[in-house]
Amino acid sequence: RKLLKIIYEKQNQHSWLNSTLHGKILKGCIDDGADVQASFQWLMSANLRGEAVSSIFAIQEQMIATRVIRKRIWKENIISEKCRVCDQSIESISHIVSSCTPLADKQYKDRHDNMLRGVYYYLLQSLNFTDMKIPSYDKIYCKIYWDTPIRTSNYVKYNKPDIVVIFKQKDDILIIEGSCPWDENLQKVILEKRSKYISLSNELKLMYGKRKCRIIELVMGSTGIVDKTFKEGLRNITESKLDVDILFNECQKTAILG
C-alpha cells in the first residue's frame, strides 16, 4: 500500500512537471533547492476554499490581470505598464506582492509581523510569560524582545531583529529574523538575513558571557515557498515535532493570506 502511494505521488509529480504553467512552478522549486513538500503543505493544512487556492496558483504563475499581463500577454490597449499604486516600476505580480514602496510600511509589514507573531506568542507561552501585549519582557531566567532595538556596548548597524531571546541561566541566545519576499528571491534573502546579524550576535555573546548565539532565519516566499531552513529554524525553537508542524502551518497560511 505504501509503495502504491509512492508510485502514485511520483506519477502526479511527473504530470505536474510536464504541465506548461504548473510545471514551471514545480521545476523552479526543485531547481532553487526549495522544500517542495513543505512549500505546498498549505494545500492540505490551510483549509482554503477552491477560489482561494486558484487565486494563489494564479499568483504563482503570474497570471493575474496586472498591466504587464494585460499589455504583453493579452495584447490589450494599455497605455502605461507603470504600477497604479507607486507609478514607478512596472506593474507585475512580483512588484505588487513584495516590492511596491507605498505598500511596504503597512501591508508588507503587517504580513511579516503576522507571520512571526505566532512564533513570538509560542515562545512567551513556553517561557511562562502571561501578558502577551508588552513588546519586551525581563524575568530572572530570561529576556525576550519583539521588534526592539538592542543596546550594545559597541556600535552595531543592525540591532533590531524581529525577536531576541536571552536565556540567563543557559548558555544560549536566539536571534530570530523573518521575511516574506517574492518566491524567486527566497535564497537571496536567506543569505542576507544570515549575515545581517553576525555583528549583533558577537556583541550579545560578549555582553552576556555566552558561547552560543543562534541566528534563526524564518524566510518564507509570499506564496508559501520555503527551503529546508524554515523548519530547521522552528526545530531550534521547539523540540516538539507536533509544535513545529503547527507553527509552520500557521506561518505559511499567514504568509499567503497576509
Side-chain angles (χ1 to χ4, degrees):
R1 197 171 182 179
K2 190 174 180 181
L3 180 61
L4 286 172
K5 184 180 178 182
I6 292 169
I7 293 170
Y8 179 72
E9 287 175 351
K10 290 288 184 184
Q11 287 175 339
N12 279 346
Q13 189 180 78
H14 180 73
S15 174
W16 194 0
L17 276 168
N18 288 330
S19 170
T20 305
L21 283 175
H22 297 317
K24 184 179 177 182
I25 300 163
L26 184 58
K27 189 174 186 302
C29 288
I30 294 169
D31 291 345
D32 292 341
D35 184 336
V36 176
Q37 185 174 348
S39 294
F40 295 95
Q41 193 166 309
W42 58 271
L43 285 167
M44 299 295 292
S45 64
N47 196 28
L48 300 178
R49 297 176 64 179
E51 296 89 338
V53 173
S54 297
S55 295
I56 293 162
F57 275 122
I59 291 169
Q60 289 182 336
E61 294 156 6
Q62 302 193 55
M63 290 304 293
I64 298 291
T66 60
R67 283 183 167 179
V68 169
I69 290 295
R70 290 171 63 194
K71 185 172 183 178
R72 299 184 188 182
I73 306 299
W74 298 347
K75 307 300 181 184
E76 292 185 13
N77 186 24
I78 304 295
I79 297 172
S80 173
E81 293 184 353
K82 290 287 182 70
C83 173
R84 283 165 282 187
V85 178
C86 68
D87 198 34
Q88 297 295 319
S89 302
I90 62 169
E91 190 182 277
S92 64
I93 280 293
S94 58
H95 171 74
I96 294 169
V97 168
S98 64
S99 304
C100 186
T101 304
L103 302 179
D105 290 339
K106 174 62 178 169
Q107 285 81 358
Y108 299 161
K109 189 176 188 310
D110 285 351
R111 178 180 62 192
H112 165 277
D113 289 353
N114 290 338
M115 184 190 78
L116 288 176
R117 195 167 278 117
V119 175
Y120 180 64
Y121 288 160
Y122 177 85
L123 284 165
L124 290 178
Q125 190 174 35
S126 64
L127 294 168
N128 297 317
F129 289 101
T130 53
D131 188 351
M132 301 275 183
K133 296 178 182 178
I134 306 170
S136 61
Y137 300 83
D138 190 351
K139 283 196 172 184
I140 295 173
Y141 53 87
C142 177
K143 283 184 180 181
I144 182 167
Y145 300 95
W146 166 269
D147 197 26
T148 303
I150 308 298
R151 292 184 179 180
T152 54
S153 302
N154 298 309
Y155 171 75
V156 174
K157 184 177 181 180
Y158 301 109
N159 69 340
K160 192 181 176 184
D162 294 316
I163 303 170
V164 175
V165 185
I166 301 166
F167 298 97
K168 297 181 182 180
Q169 298 172 353
K170 293 197 298 184
D171 188 23
D172 200 10
I173 299 171
L174 300 180
I175 294 175
I176 302 170
E177 179 71 6
S179 185
C180 295
W182 176 241
D183 300 333
E184 292 175 3
N185 296 328
L186 188 70
Q187 294 302 325
K188 177 186 173 185
V189 173
I190 289 172
L191 291 174
E192 287 174 355
K193 297 292 183 184
R194 193 166 294 164
S195 60
K196 186 176 181 180
Y197 290 105
I198 290 175
S199 295
L200 179 62
S201 169
N202 292 333
E203 278 295 310
L204 288 175
K205 283 190 287 186
L206 286 172
M207 285 172 61
Y208 291 96
K210 307 290 186 183
R211 288 176 296 172
K212 186 164 63 171
C213 180
R214 292 176 284 167
I215 301 172
I216 299 171
E217 313 94 18
L218 297 180
V219 181
M220 178 175 291
S222 45
T223 65
I225 305 298
V226 291
D227 76 353
K228 295 186 185 300
T229 60
F230 200 101
K231 285 194 175 183
E232 286 170 3
L234 293 177
R235 283 191 283 269
N236 276 306
I237 293 168
T238 174
E239 295 178 355
S240 166
K241 186 179 183 302
L242 177 62
D243 288 349
V244 166
D245 285 338
I246 290 171
L247 284 170
F248 178 82
N249 291 339
E250 190 176 312
C251 288
Q252 191 171 48
K253 185 173 182 178
T254 308
I256 292 170
L257 298 181

